[in-house]
Amino acid sequence: MSTHLLRALQNAHAFDSTPPEAQLASLHVPFDFLTGSRAYEDTLARAVRRGERIALIGASGSGKTSITEHVLGGFVHDVAPIRVRVDMMTPSVSTHPPDFAKHVVHTVRKYIDDHHARPDRRKASKTDDTAHGIADKRPVKVTVGAGLPWLKGDLAVELGGVVHTRAVSGEDIVEQAQLILQIIAARGVTPVLVLPDTDHWIRRAGLDPEPLIAGFFGSTLRMIAERLSTAAVIAVHETYLPDPAYREASGFLESRITLPEIPSPDAIGAILRHRARATDDDTHRRTGDLVDPDALERLFAHYQASNRNLRKVIQTAHGALAHACDEPAAAIGRRHVELALTE
């Protein structure tokens, strides 16, 4: 490695710990590769193909979102991932089944409006909603799969007719969500509800988490299983496991995948080298000496001490890269990691 290459990596934000979701699939290094098994990506892909509801278990920053994006963003074909984010919504979206179903409808609707409708139609649709008194007052961050190649042509038109129909009662809203998923499935595509980062919207500041956990894993998950009858990938923080509501939900979760620990300093190095190569610059192919062995040992110790939070390790590597560039150095050393850890 060289100072020039390190600075190029810094300028390319190679170790950004919170990259755009669209990049997560390509940045993910499979756990199956790192552990030499088929217990993670391969197992998740097979469960999704079977249309199961899957609990993806791990601590914050352990890779639940990146493995999901990797598998659903190209590892598995003929699926329709629908990312249902509720971290900006009222708590009732996670605990009240009709509110959750309404959010599923709005998620698909927003995608169609943003990517398939003419600007004048989008404006008219929002105006019509306001007239009916159902306009959302909260911002909704919506990402649906990795570009949704499945939502095109006649399917987009057919779904558009459903999502722009105003449902009045709670039962109507649940049936509307049902119909959306049935239309997708009728095209030979498996709809998959993706619920990422549940710890962000269940364990939010100022709210008692127990009623939220009980409401989601009780009534809402039951509605997903019995009424929507769809596949789902649900990020489950490991602290939920002893909760009675989670244990009682076992009948609605057909598969459980607990993410593994990164096994070694060399595995940390493989992750960092992959991120360096993912910048798509040919000069970054020479990444064998990107981080020296002592620095990898220190990063691995930090990983173990941070409750297996890989996101924090990458964040530390980003800081260490900056210190290496400031020095300047030809590679990231242990002293650069130590400096980053003090910040």
Side-chain angles (χ1 to χ4, degrees):
M1 191 57 68
S2 69
T3 300
H4 170 74
L5 293 179
L6 286 182
R7 284 176 174 161
L9 290 174
Q10 184 183 34
N11 292 335
H13 305 285
F15 299 153
D16 183 358
S17 61
T18 56
E21 288 176 350
Q23 296 178 13
L24 287 176
S26 62
L27 292 176
H28 178 70
V29 178
F31 292 113
D32 285 353
F33 168 77
L34 295 173
T35 62
S37 74
R38 299 179 63 184
Y40 306 104
E41 285 79 11
D42 187 69
T43 297
L44 177 58
R46 286 187 280 112
V48 167
R49 292 189 189 104
R50 292 192 296 267
E52 295 182 357
R53 289 170 297 282
I54 305 142
L56 200 56
I57 302 167
S60 295
S62 60
K64 299 187 295 295
T65 301
S66 63
I67 185 178
T68 301
E69 290 298 321
H70 178 78
V71 171
L72 298 182
F75 198 85
V76 178
H77 302 291
D78 296 328
V79 295
I82 302 172
R83 180 176 290 280
V84 185
R85 301 197 70 111
V86 297
D87 47 332
M88 297 293 289
M89 306 301 289
T90 59
S92 67
V93 171
S94 59
T95 60
H96 187 53
D99 286 356
F100 180 86
K102 181 179 180 181
H103 191 43
V104 171
V105 174
H106 281 199
T107 299
V108 178
R109 172 184 171 174
K110 181 169 173 52
Y111 180 80
I112 293 172
D113 285 351
D114 287 350
H115 297 276
H116 288 276
R118 297 188 307 273
D120 57 337
R121 179 178 173 185
R122 289 199 295 269
K123 182 177 180 181
S125 174
K126 292 177 181 178
T127 302
D128 184 61
D129 274 357
T130 303
H132 285 291
I134 60 172
D136 289 326
K137 296 181 180 180
R138 295 173 177 267
V140 182
K141 181 180 179 183
V142 177
T143 304
V144 190
L148 279 189
W150 56 271
L151 186 53
K152 56 187 177 182
D154 293 344
L155 177 56
V157 173
E158 188 174 2
L159 288 176
V162 175
V163 299
H164 288 99
T165 300
R166 181 172 179 258
V168 179
S169 70
E171 180 63 23
D172 288 342
I173 292 169
V174 173
E175 291 180 355
Q176 190 176 29
Q178 272 182 324
L179 182 57
I180 289 170
L181 299 171
Q182 290 168 359
I183 290 171
I184 295 171
R187 299 297 182 103
V189 179
T190 301
V192 184
L193 298 182
V194 181
L195 284 76
D197 298 330
T198 58
D199 46 320
H200 290 176
W201 48 267
I202 287 181
R203 295 190 181 278
R204 60 178 81 181
L207 294 177
D208 181 0
E210 295 308 317
L212 298 178
I213 295 172
F216 176 75
F217 287 107
S219 56
T220 300
L221 182 57
R222 182 177 190 128
M223 185 270 296
I224 292 172
E226 295 182 345
R227 298 295 307 278
L228 301 186
S229 302
T230 188
V233 178
I234 302 166
V236 174
H237 196 278
E238 57 188 11
T239 56
Y240 298 172
L241 302 184
D243 193 281
Y246 174 78
R247 293 201 303 269
E248 291 173 7
S250 59
F252 305 126
L253 294 167
E254 298 159 293
S255 289
R256 294 169 186 79
I257 301 172
T258 300
L259 297 190
E261 293 188 31
I262 303 301
S264 67
D266 286 343
I268 297 289
I271 292 168
L272 296 179
R273 288 193 297 274
H274 177 74
R275 282 178 167 254
R277 294 189 183 101
T279 59
D280 289 332
D281 188 323
D282 287 341
T283 61
H284 299 162
R285 296 184 185 279
R286 291 178 51 245
T287 56
D289 53 356
L290 171 63
V291 187
D292 72 35
D294 283 346
L296 288 178
E297 290 281 357
R298 186 65 185 92
L299 286 170
F300 184 63
H302 177 48
Y303 169 75
Q304 293 178 310
S306 64
N307 192 28
R308 298 178 287 122
N309 192 320
L310 184 58
R311 186 184 302 119
K312 287 186 177 180
V313 172
I314 294 171
Q315 183 179 16
T316 300
H318 175 79
L321 174 62
H323 286 294
C325 290
D326 289 344
E327 192 170 297
I332 297 172
R334 185 184 183 97
R335 65 185 177 280
H336 306 130
V337 175
E338 296 288 1
L339 285 170
L341 286 172
T342 63
E343 295 174 340

